[in-house]
Amino acid sequence: MSNDLRRIIEFIIEMDKLKAVLRKTKPVGLERYENSAEHSWQVCLLALLLVQHARQPVDIVRVVEILLVHDIPEIDSGDQIVYQGPSEAKAAAERQAARRIFGLLPEPQARWCMSRWEEYEGRESKEAVFAYAVDRLMPVLHNLKNNGQSWRENKVPLEKVLAVNAVVGEALPSVWEHVQGLIGEFSAMGLCENQEKNA
């Protein structure tokens, strides 16, 4: 076996650890928390299905590439709920994790993975903006179907749900308009109390 092939196999086995990184949302109908590997798969599928709703045309293959690697550093750094806001320490930990994990690969593949991860983090390309929008959308859909499970557990007020996820509208305006309507219905049913005083 060549050294490059050995490194690729070691890397793909390392990816199993992403299945142990728990997120804050639960799969619909299940009591356990979803893991980051499940999330990465689901947002890739969602991106493929929503591409015709994008504000501007995107290279969907590149979007899927970005989404497939975007959470890999969580193997080392763990998941952080987006409503806590950005953290320099978390960003530094993720970058260090990205270097270690992608560094398991031969140089060309390591460089490719790192470039896609950095593209997601920078959100300067239209593909990265679209990928981020879909990444933000999926937990909202989970919460709407799970009676606001992670919003309630983490005391996230409705105002913050709308503010943080408004980025969905940058890439998917018609989708965000529809989802805002669903959030409004959800709130009107009393399923999402204003928890600003507890947040």
Side-chain angles (χ1 to χ4, degrees):
M1 180 186 298
S2 72
N3 186 52
D4 281 3
L5 181 55
R6 177 186 58 77
R7 292 177 68 177
I8 289 169
I9 290 172
E10 287 177 358
F11 171 84
I12 208 65
I13 296 302
E14 182 79 358
M15 292 305 95
D16 262 17
K17 294 179 181 177
L18 199 59
K19 300 172 187 176
V21 177
L22 297 182
R23 293 170 51 82
K24 306 301 184 195
T25 52
K26 295 179 179 179
V28 176
L30 299 179
E31 284 305 309
R32 67 172 179 83
Y33 291 94
E34 74 168 340
N35 65 59
S36 287
E38 292 172 308
H39 168 73
S40 295
W41 157 77
Q42 198 166 26
V43 293
C44 285
L45 184 56
L46 184 60
L48 287 163
L49 296 172
L50 290 181
V51 68
Q52 71 271 23
H53 296 280
R55 180 188 297 274
Q56 56 183 319
V58 294
D59 178 347
I60 192 60
V61 172
R62 192 176 188 96
V63 170
V64 170
E65 291 171 353
I66 291 167
L67 288 171
L68 282 171
V69 304
H70 83 288
D71 277 341
I72 287 175
E74 291 182 1
I75 288 172
D76 288 356
S77 65
D79 180 58
Q80 175 181 308
I81 191 166
V82 70
Y83 302 106
Q84 291 177 350
S87 158
E88 288 185 19
K90 173 69 172 169
E94 285 195 350
R95 180 162 294 279
Q96 182 177 358
R99 288 190 184 116
R100 181 196 75 79
I101 298 165
F102 298 143
L104 297 172
L105 286 163
E107 197 279 333
Q109 289 89 351
R111 183 169 15 94
W112 180 87
C113 285
M114 192 71 178
S115 71
R116 295 300 185 269
W117 180 78
E118 288 178 330
E119 186 172 351
Y120 176 84
E121 291 296 304
R123 288 193 277 284
E124 293 180 0
S125 71
K126 59 185 180 179
E127 285 75 20
V129 170
F130 183 84
Y132 185 70
V134 175
D135 190 37
R136 291 293 345 115
L137 176 60
M138 194 64 242
V140 173
L141 299 178
H142 270 136
N143 272 290
L144 289 171
K145 289 294 183 181
N146 277 341
N147 295 321
Q149 167 261 316
S150 75
W151 296 336
R152 289 175 176 275
E153 288 179 6
N154 295 283
K155 298 180 173 58
V156 181
L158 179 62
E159 293 79 7
K160 187 171 274 192
V161 169
L162 291 167
V164 168
N165 295 298
V167 296
V168 175
E170 294 175 19
L172 293 157
S174 62
V175 173
W176 182 235
E177 182 179 356
H178 175 72
V179 171
Q180 280 181 296
L182 295 177
I183 293 172
E185 293 172 14
F186 180 80
S187 178
M189 289 188 293
L191 295 172
C192 188
E193 60 187 77
N194 186 333
Q195 302 183 34
E196 184 126 24
K197 59 182 180 297
N198 300 319

